[in-house]
Each structure stands twice: as structure tokens, then as C-alpha cells.
Amino acid sequence: MKKISTIWLGGCSGCHMSLLDIDEKLIEVIKNARIVKSTPIVDVKDFPQADVGIVEGAVATKEDEENLKKMRGSCKILVAIGDCACFGGITSYRNLFEKEEVLSRVFIESESVEKGKIPQSNFIPPLLEKVKPVNAVVNIDCYIPGCPPNANVILYALKELLAGRIPILPSEMASFE
Ligand code: SF4
């Protein structure tokens, strides 16, 4: 039985929501597969070995970078899902500014903040200087762009991956936002 692992990094979770939008067809998919890790479905903190790993989101923090490397180490095939993972996407818009400017805008200058300060704690993963797509950190075997990719596209790709093939998206399925 094939094992599937998914994770989200610097993203909005929209790609995982699109994955869940497969709805009842997901049951059909996992008849011959087991989801061993997936934030919205199975709350597993470690990185079990998997045949197919799916990564949502760009690499925005030191923790994202470490978790992505653990995914690469634990998954035979690693798939970047969504524009943030594939290209940096919306998450990488902060690259238009310096990291300090972004933190200051959010935590000090924001209209909804009074006497704000930039939070500092060992429990808060530090931001990287710049946001990166996942292939800037590890090798990626397959890309499914879109913001988010349509559920039918994810379903098609999952079926191909579980059949042991790297999916080649038909052009009508590929979308780039
Ligand atoms: S690609 Fe779009 S839907 Fe997916 S995490 Fe990024 S912003 Fe969210």
C-alpha cells in the first residue's frame, strides 16, 4: 500500500483545501493508499517514510526550510503543489521589501495596532531574509501550479502518482495565476 505525506509551509492552506475538495473521490484514491502525515487530516509532527510527498507553500522561515528538508528525506517522490511552492507565489510578495520593513509594517505601523512591537521568542520561527520556492532548497520531482490548483487536477495527479507515474498535466489542466 502506497503512503502519502503532505505538509504546508509558507502558504494560506488553500492548496490543502483544494485537496480536500476532491471530496468523496478521496476515499476512492486512498483505498490503495494511506495518508501518514497531513496537517488538516492527520496531525503527525514527525516525518514518516512515504512514497508520495506533497508540499504546499513557499519557504519563508527557518522552520519551513528544515521541515522541507525532512520531507525530502522521507519521501520518494516530492511534489510541489500550488504557485507558492512552485514559484514563491503570493508569499514571495514580501521580497519586494526588506524583512525588517515587513515586520515593522505588520507589528508596529499597522492601523489596527497600538503600541506594537515585533514579537521575539524562541518559539517563533525566524523569517528568512527572502522567501524562496521549494526547489531553491531541495530537488522536486513534480510541479502542480495554480492558486490553488483545481481539485480535479490534484485528483488526476494523485492517481498518476499512486500508479507509479510522474503526472504530465494536459495543457487544459495547467493553470498559472
Ligand atoms: S498557491 Fe495560492 S492557494 Fe496555494 S498556498 Fe499559495 S496563496 Fe494559498
Side-chain angles (χ1 to χ4, degrees):
M1 180 167 285
K2 300 259 186 185
K3 294 178 187 164
I4 302 172
S5 176
T6 87
I7 190 172
W8 85 56
L9 308 173
C12 72
S13 84
C15 291
H16 269 82
M17 294 307 113
S18 204
L19 170 67
L20 294 178
D21 274 347
I22 293 175
D23 295 329
E24 70 279 2
K25 291 187 194 129
L26 193 55
I27 295 168
E28 188 192 316
V29 170
I30 59 174
K31 265 187 196 155
N32 298 316
R34 195 154 67 89
I35 297 175
V36 293
K37 174 183 179 71
S38 182
T39 313
I41 307 170
V42 186
D43 188 18
V44 173
K45 304 295 184 208
D46 58 2
F47 291 78
Q49 293 295 314
D51 298 285
V52 175
I54 295 175
V55 180
E56 165 190 330
V59 185
T61 67
K62 195 80 192 135
E63 184 182 55
D64 291 340
E65 208 168 48
E66 288 162 8
N67 286 341
L68 177 57
K69 286 177 185 168
K70 287 179 190 166
M71 277 297 277
R72 179 67 275 183
S74 61
C75 300
K76 289 182 192 155
I77 301 285
L78 198 58
V79 182
I81 183 178
D83 286 354
C84 291
C86 293
F87 316 116
I90 287 178
T91 310
S92 66
Y93 282 14
R94 87 157 158 89
N95 291 349
L96 297 170
F97 306 92
E98 294 304 319
K99 181 179 72 174
E100 289 70 25
E101 285 180 277
V102 174
L103 288 169
S104 176
R105 178 73 186 101
V106 171
F107 292 108
I108 297 173
E109 297 156 26
S110 171
E111 291 71 10
S112 60
V113 170
E114 206 174 301
K115 295 183 186 161
K117 65 175 186 179
I118 296 169
Q120 284 181 335
S121 158
N122 291 338
F123 296 107
I124 301 174
L127 291 184
L128 297 175
E129 289 303 320
K130 295 291 177 192
V131 173
K132 300 181 271 194
V134 291
N135 67 359
V137 178
V138 298
N139 287 332
I140 296 293
D141 302 297
C142 174
Y143 298 84
I144 306 175
C147 183
N150 183 281
N152 289 329
V153 178
I154 298 173
L155 177 61
Y156 171 83
L158 264 181
K159 283 182 174 172
E160 288 290 287
L161 287 160
L162 293 174
R165 295 185 288 268
I166 296 289
I168 298 171
L169 296 183
S171 57
E172 65 272 16
M173 277 192 171
S175 72
F176 304 89
E177 270 75 25

